[in-house]
Amino acid sequence: MPSFRYMIVFVLSCCLCGKWAHGQGLLIHNYNVKDGLTNATVFAAVQDRDGFIWFATPTGVSRFDGKRFRNYAKKDGLPDNEVVRLAADDKNRVWFFTYSGKPSFYSNNYIHNENNDSSLVYDNRGHFMLYAFEDAAKVVWFQTSNNTVTRYNGRKAINDDRFSAINLFYWLKNDSIFKPLQPYYNIANLNELVVPSNKLNIYHSIAPMTAQLATLIRSKSILINGNDLYTYNEKSIIPFLSGENIGIAEDISTVCVVGDHLWIGTQRALYMVKNFFKGERKVTRLLENHYVTSILYDREGNIWITTYGDGVYYIPHKNFYFSYLDNTNGLYSHSVFSVFKNSRISDLLLVGQNAGILNTIDNRGVSKQFNLDSSGIRNSILSILQYKNNEVVISTDNGVFSFLLDQQKPRLLESIKAVRDIDVSKSGKLRIATYNRVVTVPGGIQDIAPADILITSISSVGDSAYFVGSNNGLYEGREGAPFISLSATDSLLKHSIKDLKWVGDKLFIGTSDNGICVMQNRKVIKQFTTKDGLTSDICQQLYYDGKDKLYVATNKGVSVIDVNKLEFITKITSNDGLMSDDVRNVCKSGDTLFIATSNGLCYFREDNIPVDSVPPKIYLDVIRYGDSTYYMHQSSFEHLFERKGSFEVEFGAIAFDLPDLVEYQYNFSNDSARGWVTTKSNIIPYPNLQPGNYQLLIRAKKYKSEWGKPLVLSIIIRPQWYQQWWARGILLVLGLLLVTLILRFIITRIKAAEKRKTEYNRRIAELEAKALTNQMNPHFIFNSLNSVQHLILEKEEKQALNFLADFATLMRQMLNNSRKSYISLDDEITFLTRYLELEKIRFASSFMYRFELEPALKDHTVYIPPMLIQPIIENAIKHGLAPKNGSGQLDVKFWMKEDILYCTVEDDGIGWDRSNSIKTGKLMKHESTALSVIKERLQIIKSFNGSVGKLEIIDKFNSGFSSKDGTLVEILIPIVKML
């Protein structure tokens, strides 16, 4: 908020109450460079259709919304920094007049010139624009410095040679066609308006003010010629004011019509001719020694005064309803403690101040000062009350005085130190309250006990009864009787009291920090605090208007209470026009309210306080997104999403009166949980706005106004390609694919590891199987060599040689098979056949053997582990057929079921059980080892092949399988089958 200076200017005019008149002040605010204005020299001011106030200066233009100045210079688009005049048209364009002659205007949040707007490119022929007019078609016409005419229709600026020899009066007399965009024109020589083709009458005698003339002046632009003001019609130029006739000696530089008043600016001062159009000619001189360059009366009723070198002065419209007095216009000082006026007995206004000074102002505006107390110590005039007819009683810190109103003569009544309050009963008894006693005149002195209680206030109920307020609560007093404390009757009566007022049958108690208490019949029946509308809970003085209103002076303004309904009515503060919120005293005379403050005296018609209930207009200023700034001239914003880009909306409200009290509310469409958010900041940040369509609503309210219509901003944040649904789908698919590939890779790695592990285990199993197979080879070799030994011992050398030859072939085949994990079934049968042939030689052909294969096995090549069947056949020959008397039979059968080869070795020997009974321990151990090796091999095969092997030995006779002896061995062998 720009800080602004205040000044109170002296005005001699009629006061707001009746015919009484005196000197009154007018509060004026000043804006200067330190507040944001681009230059202290301001040539002109204009208000655009949005409500902004524009100022033309030598260093550019300033746009003001009541709180912030926004400045524009040549770098922002102005054709020249020195702007000498402004004009606002009906299309909400603000035109800038410079000596460069190049047209430019502000619209849609930026300055249009010939560089960014081709419609403004034209040949100015070396001249600059003087005046601007607008026709019904919204075409703007300019008259230039050489009396040529340029028109602008929104598409093109054109030099119109049809108007090559016209002057200003041509436009003025046709103002029903060409509306002037300036309220006044400075004419150096009126004869310049006369042309041979136009009969123009120029009058020099001041015309008397009539209703017809007043209407004409208000409807036309005013012509200024030196010290005189003129109006006009189609045929005449009519003077209506001569400055010399009303005391204005210098030439007039600017003029403004405000209602019935006329404001005039010169190079020396600002003048106000109040009620000019009602025939009055009393002039008030303001802004002494100020060069006034222009005066603007805006649409809200405010007045703006631009000056040469002193910035801009602003008079709020509400200040015309208030009058002010302080040390600049008649008072001893700015600090006022008490005030009194009763127009029924006197027109004299009494103002009590510090240093014992009493100011009086009569109906002629003549003021006097009386020094009632010059003791040199604290001696402020605390209160002024009606005492007798035409006489008032005045209390100071060090005494009580009487003052005759008609004679304006004070006299000392009582010399008493430490006076706190006085009161006059209905019968005229004067009671004076000091720190610790009450003095009644006529009467006596009554002390209050205990001594540490300090009296602060007194209020009479009748001739003998009264109430006393203290720092320790409320007391009831009666002449000739001791004080009675009422603190025990109600806890609210214990608080420190500042003032008391007896109204009807109720006592109104102003406390130091608990608001107002209303007591009736020694009970508090009502309490008013800030929650009920009081401006403050710290009460300083109570004033009863004798009718229905109680005025409560506080440190934050005045509160008004209806004493009959016991309801809060309203409040009056500096926001409404008071000079200060620190209110010491209140007085009412007729319909005029006088309020004494620490910064002066303010008075006004109570029923005429202006209330600005129109909400302020909201405008969009800029949007910042990421690192870019966008000046807004439309109600929508669209942008591509920026990662980590902060979104920020800056806006404002046009409010010239109390701009610091403007409140904002905003609502974001996608933030329904928060609803309307209230703030005083004009910036709304959204740090991480995601892609989407949004709607931002902003509204504002001024002091005592309702919320205005919201401004709607549509925001579209378009997503980046990677935020589109299809891109997200692709990214999702790619992500899933990547996850799948990763999982597949991991699974493949796991499978490969498992495969390597399985292969490793299989290889180990194969090696173990081979090792087990090799365990059987020594046993077979040992038996075979035993057979050869037997043949040699039997002298059968030839047969032994043949046996050795067959044994060598068998050994070679066995060694080949032992290197393999699997051999074909045919190779296995071939191997078994050679083995059986050797065994037949060994056992002298004591048995026969036979191999049987099912036909299906011939269609496949079947692979089985080697050396699984041979140990079983060996056991069948050695332990089944060899002990048998006579020839035996050995049958080996093969058939296939799924991936299992079924093999049975059947003999008709002595049987399994009998064979076990005749075996020695060594043979039993050997056989057990052979069978366990076969079973272990089958188990190992299962570990890496997954197929189940089986070995089962059946004694045919004992198990009931056959009526003959013999053994049946069944073995299930996992195979590898190939076509």
Side-chain angles (χ1 to χ4, degrees):
M1 169 64 190
S3 60
F4 43 75
R5 294 180 287 131
Y6 296 87
M7 66 179 300
I8 297 179
V9 295
F10 185 70
V11 182
L12 284 175
S13 61
C14 290
C15 180
L16 298 173
C17 74
K19 298 180 180 179
W20 176 70
H22 63 80
Q24 71 180 52
L26 190 62
L27 200 63
I28 300 180
H29 308 259
N30 177 251
Y31 295 97
N32 220 305
V33 175
K34 61 183 177 56
D35 304 311
L37 188 66
T38 187
N39 197 296
T41 294
V42 183
F43 298 130
V46 72
Q47 186 177 30
D48 64 19
R49 296 188 67 83
D50 286 333
F52 292 104
I53 305 295
W54 292 80
F55 302 104
T57 79
T59 54
V61 294
S62 295
R63 189 189 73 175
F64 189 49
D65 65 1
K67 191 172 184 178
R68 287 172 291 273
F69 285 94
R70 183 168 177 186
N71 300 320
Y72 299 87
K74 191 171 183 180
K75 64 182 178 60
D76 302 300
L78 288 177
D80 191 11
N81 280 333
E82 186 173 14
V83 180
V84 295
R85 194 174 292 117
L86 300 167
D89 63 22
D90 288 340
K91 283 193 171 183
N92 202 23
R93 293 175 296 204
V94 177
W95 292 87
F96 308 114
F97 293 72
T98 68
Y99 291 124
S100 70
K102 298 178 181 179
S104 63
F105 63 85
Y106 179 92
S107 179
N108 292 330
N109 223 14
Y110 72 99
I111 294 176
H112 298 247
N113 55 43
E114 63 180 8
N115 296 321
N116 58 27
D117 190 340
S118 59
S119 66
L120 295 175
V121 177
Y122 96 112
D123 181 12
N124 60 14
R125 299 175 182 176
H127 299 281
F128 55 90
M129 298 173 180
L130 287 176
Y131 312 121
F133 307 87
E134 186 176 22
D135 63 20
K138 310 304 179 186
V139 175
V140 180
W141 300 74
F142 299 96
Q143 182 168 343
T144 67
S145 55
N146 68 337
N147 285 336
T148 59
V149 174
T150 300
R151 59 185 170 91
Y152 180 75
N153 58 13
R155 298 181 302 275
K156 191 175 183 180
I158 305 170
N159 286 312
D160 200 325
D161 295 329
R162 296 175 300 171
F163 301 89
S164 58
I166 63 172
N167 59 16
L168 174 62
F169 194 73
Y170 171 83
W171 305 101
L172 297 179
K173 72 177 182 179
N174 293 294
D175 56 7
S176 59
I177 302 173
F178 304 103
K179 181 182 72 173
L181 297 183
Q182 294 166 235
Y184 62 89
Y185 296 90
N186 283 286
I187 309 298
N189 186 356
L190 292 179
N191 292 324
E192 295 177 359
L193 303 179
V194 180
V195 294
S197 60
N198 181 31
K199 293 182 179 181
L200 177 64
N201 297 317
I202 300 177
Y203 297 97
H204 299 284
S205 299
I206 304 300
M209 184 57 60
T210 63
Q212 183 179 4
L213 179 60
T215 301
L216 181 65
I217 295 171
R218 287 190 174 101
S219 64
K220 304 288 185 179
S221 295
I222 296 175
L223 304 180
I224 303 173
N225 176 237
N227 191 249
D228 301 325
L229 300 180
Y230 295 80
T231 187
Y232 60 89
N233 55 30
E234 293 182 359
K235 296 182 180 180
S236 305
I237 296 178
I238 307 165
F240 65 88
L241 176 70
S242 174
E244 291 183 353
N245 294 342
I246 59 174
I248 301 176
E250 59 269 23
D251 286 349
I252 297 173
S253 58
T254 182
V255 65
C256 181
V257 175
V258 180
D260 290 327
H261 316 309
L262 190 67
W263 291 74
I264 297 172
T266 72
Q267 296 183 16
R268 296 290 181 85
L270 172 70
Y271 298 90
M272 182 181 71
V273 186
K274 192 170 184 179
N275 295 321
F276 172 81
F277 291 99
K278 291 183 179 180
E280 297 184 17
R281 294 297 180 267
K282 185 180 291 185
V283 178
T284 302
R285 185 181 175 101
L286 311 170
L287 299 182
E288 189 75 30
N289 297 322
H290 284 67
Y291 184 162
V292 179
T293 55
S294 72
I295 304 170
L296 171 66
Y297 180 61
D298 69 19
R299 290 192 290 272
E300 294 182 3
N302 309 304
I303 294 180
W304 303 83
I305 303 105
T306 65
T307 68
Y308 196 96
D310 291 292
V312 176
Y313 290 92
Y314 162 65
I315 306 176
H317 72 285
K318 68 182 181 183
N319 285 6
F320 294 103
Y321 297 86
F322 291 82
S323 296
Y324 306 95
L325 289 173
D326 68 358
N327 58 329
T328 64
N329 57 351
L331 297 185
Y332 170 75
S333 70
H334 65 271
S335 183
V336 180
F337 286 89
S338 56
V339 60
F340 174 84
K341 185 178 189 306
N342 187 343
S343 59
R344 291 176 298 179
I345 61 174
S346 174
D347 287 334
L348 201 63
L349 174 68
L350 283 74
V351 182
Q353 299 192 271
N354 58 339
I357 300 298
L358 175 68
N359 297 269
T360 64
I361 305 174
D362 64 16
N363 59 349
R364 295 167 299 171
V366 178
S367 63
K368 294 182 178 181
Q369 288 183 356
F370 299 88
N371 190 346
L372 301 184
D373 188 350
S374 58
S375 60
I377 57 177
R378 177 177 175 178
N379 53 1
S380 302
I381 295 180
L382 302 177
S383 59
I384 307 172
L385 299 178
Q386 181 71 43
Y387 187 37
K388 298 176 181 179
N389 289 335
N390 200 37
E391 185 178 3
V392 296
V393 61
I394 302 171
S395 69
T396 71
D397 285 301
N398 303 302
V400 179
F401 296 81
S402 168
F403 188 84
L404 297 176
L405 297 175
D406 55 350
Q407 301 177 18
Q408 295 197 41
K409 183 177 180 179
R411 66 183 179 90
L412 180 65
L413 286 180
E414 296 286 341
S415 179
I416 304 175
K417 300 297 182 182
V419 176
R420 300 306 305 272
D421 195 15
I422 61 173
D423 192 37
V424 179
S425 69
K426 290 183 179 180
S427 63
K429 276 190 175 183
L430 173 63
R431 289 190 172 90
I432 305 169
T434 68
Y435 279 121
N436 55 6
R437 64 182 58 182
V438 174
V439 178
T440 304
V441 181
I445 299 174
Q446 189 168 3
D447 292 329
I448 189 168
D452 60 343
I453 294 178
L454 302 178
I455 297 176
T456 58
S457 56
I458 188 168
S459 180
S460 297
V461 178
D463 282 343
S464 60
Y466 55 89
F467 290 99
V468 172
S470 75
N471 65 332
N472 198 29
L474 182 67
Y475 291 81
E476 185 177 4
R478 189 173 293 272
E479 292 181 8
F483 290 105
I484 301 172
S485 175
L486 300 180
S487 299
T489 62
D490 196 304
S491 61
L492 290 174
L493 301 178
K494 295 180 180 179
H495 297 290
S496 177
I497 296 172
K498 293 289 288 184
D499 199 12
L500 300 172
K501 189 64 62 179
W502 180 261
V503 180
D505 61 347
K506 303 179 186 68
L507 180 67
F508 288 82
I509 305 167
T511 68
S512 298
D513 55 4
N514 281 277
I516 299 293
C517 295
V518 184
M519 188 186 76
Q520 189 176 38
N521 298 326
R522 296 188 175 185
K523 292 290 183 182
V524 175
I525 61 173
K526 180 75 174 180
Q527 183 182 18
F528 294 92
T529 66
T530 52
K531 295 180 180 178
D532 305 294
L534 287 186
T535 57
S536 172
D537 288 334
I538 302 175
C539 302
Q540 301 193 134
Q541 188 254 352
L542 304 180
Y543 175 80
Y544 173 53
D545 68 353
K547 295 179 181 179
D548 57 1
K549 292 180 181 178
L550 181 76
Y551 297 85
V552 184
T554 76
N555 63 327
K556 292 185 178 179
V558 177
S559 300
V560 186
I561 296 174
D562 189 315
V563 298
N564 298 320
K565 299 179 181 179
L566 295 183
E567 294 178 352
F568 173 80
I569 299 176
T570 187
K571 60 184 178 182
I572 307 169
T573 69
S574 60
N575 294 330
D576 301 296
L578 298 185
M579 301 174 74
S580 170
D581 282 326
D582 183 15
V583 179
R584 274 87 173 270
N585 198 252
V586 179
C587 178
K588 189 175 181 181
S589 178
D591 57 359
T592 302
L593 195 63
F594 297 84
I595 297 178
T597 76
S598 59
N599 201 37
L601 178 68
C602 177
Y603 56 96
F604 52 91
R605 291 180 185 269
E606 185 183 12
D607 58 353
N608 200 29
I609 298 177
V611 178
D612 188 3
S613 59
V614 179
K617 182 175 180 179
I618 289 283
Y619 68 92
L620 284 176
D621 194 3
V622 297
I623 287 181
R624 299 180 185 89
Y625 189 40
D627 297 327
S628 302
T629 299
Y630 305 91
Y631 292 94
M632 297 302 296
H633 58 273
Q634 55 187 7
S635 59
S636 62
F637 176 79
E638 185 173 352
H639 200 280
L640 193 64
F641 173 78
E642 292 188 15
R643 186 171 175 268
K644 295 184 179 180
S646 178
F647 183 85
E648 191 175 84
V649 179
E650 184 173 345
F651 53 91
I654 302 174
F656 302 114
D657 187 27
L658 305 174
D660 282 339
L661 297 185
V662 172
E663 291 183 294
Y664 302 101
Q665 282 188 339
Y666 64 90
N667 180 278
F668 216 53
S669 59
N670 292 30
D671 192 7
S672 57
R674 297 176 66 188
W676 286 101
V677 179
T678 304
T679 180
K680 282 196 172 183
S681 172
N682 67 319
I683 296 176
I684 302 175
Y686 283 92
N688 189 24
L689 191 62
Q690 295 300 309
N693 295 342
Y694 304 91
Q695 191 176 63
L696 178 62
L697 285 77
I698 309 171
R699 63 184 184 182
K701 64 176 292 189
K702 291 188 291 190
Y703 177 67
K704 290 188 176 180
S705 81
E706 298 297 326
W707 290 105
K709 183 180 179 181
L711 180 148
V712 181
L713 174 64
S714 297
I715 303 169
I716 301 175
I717 304 298
R718 290 182 283 106
Q720 296 280 1
W721 67 267
Y722 56 83
Q723 294 175 312
Q724 302 281 1
W725 65 267
W726 53 266
R728 290 183 174 180
I730 292 174
L731 290 175
L732 179 61
V733 171
L734 291 176
L736 292 175
L737 182 59
L738 179 61
V739 171
T740 302
L741 291 175
I742 292 173
L743 290 176
R744 184 175 179 182
F745 175 75
I746 293 173
I747 293 171
T748 303
R749 290 283 301 271
I750 293 173
K751 285 184 176 180
E754 289 293 333
K755 185 177 180 181
R756 287 194 300 270
K757 184 177 179 180
T758 302
E759 181 65 24
Y760 176 72
N761 291 334
R762 187 186 67 81
R763 184 62 179 163
I764 291 174
E766 287 182 357
L767 293 175
E768 289 176 350
K770 288 181 180 180
L772 292 174
T773 301
N774 293 334
Q775 289 179 23
M776 304 172 70
N777 295 338
H779 174 65
F780 173 72
I781 294 170
F782 176 75
N783 291 336
S784 297
L785 292 177
N786 282 339
S787 298
V788 173
Q789 182 182 15
H790 176 72
L791 291 174
I792 294 173
L793 293 174
E794 292 296 327
K795 306 295 185 179
E796 296 180 5
E797 291 86 354
K798 183 177 181 180
Q799 191 175 357
L801 291 173
N802 291 335
F803 185 88
L804 283 174
D806 290 338
F807 174 72
T809 302
L810 183 63
M811 285 298 296
R812 187 165 46 254
Q813 188 174 359
M814 185 180 66
L815 290 174
N816 289 334
N817 291 344
S818 66
R819 297 189 186 97
K820 301 176 182 178
S821 298
Y822 291 90
I823 62 172
S824 66
L825 181 58
D826 292 340
D827 289 342
E828 180 68 12
I829 293 174
T830 302
F831 173 76
L832 294 176
T833 301
R834 286 198 176 92
Y835 170 73
L836 286 172
E837 288 296 330
L838 290 176
E839 289 289 49
K840 280 181 67 177
I841 296 173
R842 179 183 169 199
F843 290 98
S845 300
S846 61
F847 66 89
M848 300 296 292
Y849 67 89
R850 181 175 58 206
F851 288 94
E852 293 185 12
L853 280 76
E854 75 169 337
L857 287 173
K858 298 177 180 179
D859 299 332
H860 303 277
T861 300
V862 176
Y863 291 87
I864 63 173
M867 297 298 290
L868 280 178
I869 303 173
Q870 184 272 335
I872 298 173
I873 293 177
E874 180 182 354
N875 282 338
I877 296 171
K878 185 175 181 180
H879 303 293
L881 296 176
K884 179 182 178 181
N885 297 323
S887 177
Q889 180 65 38
L890 178 68
D891 292 327
V892 181
K893 298 180 180 178
F894 296 95
W895 73 93
M896 185 174 61
K897 188 176 182 180
E898 296 181 353
D899 290 333
I900 300 297
L901 178 66
Y902 287 78
C903 175
T904 60
V905 178
E906 184 180 0
D907 65 74
D908 57 357
I910 62 175
W912 174 257
D913 294 337
R914 185 180 173 190
S915 173
N916 286 336
S917 65
I918 64 175
K919 291 177 183 175
T920 64
K922 188 175 182 180
L923 291 175
M924 284 287 292
K925 183 178 179 181
H926 168 73
E927 184 178 351
S928 175
T929 300
L931 294 177
S932 64
V933 168
I934 295 173
K935 291 179 180 180
E936 189 174 353
R937 288 188 64 197
L938 291 174
Q939 187 64 32
I940 292 173
I941 292 171
K942 177 185 176 183
S943 68
F944 64 83
N945 197 8
S947 300
V948 180
K950 181 181 178 184
L951 175 66
E952 186 177 4
I953 302 172
I954 302 172
D955 188 292
K956 292 194 295 182
F957 180 79
N958 291 336
S959 62
F961 189 79
S962 174
S963 59
K964 297 181 179 180
D965 292 328
T967 303
L968 176 64
V969 179
E970 186 178 57
I971 180 172
L972 279 62
I973 306 172
I975 64 170
V976 176
K977 178 174 65 175
M978 298 182 63
L979 294 175

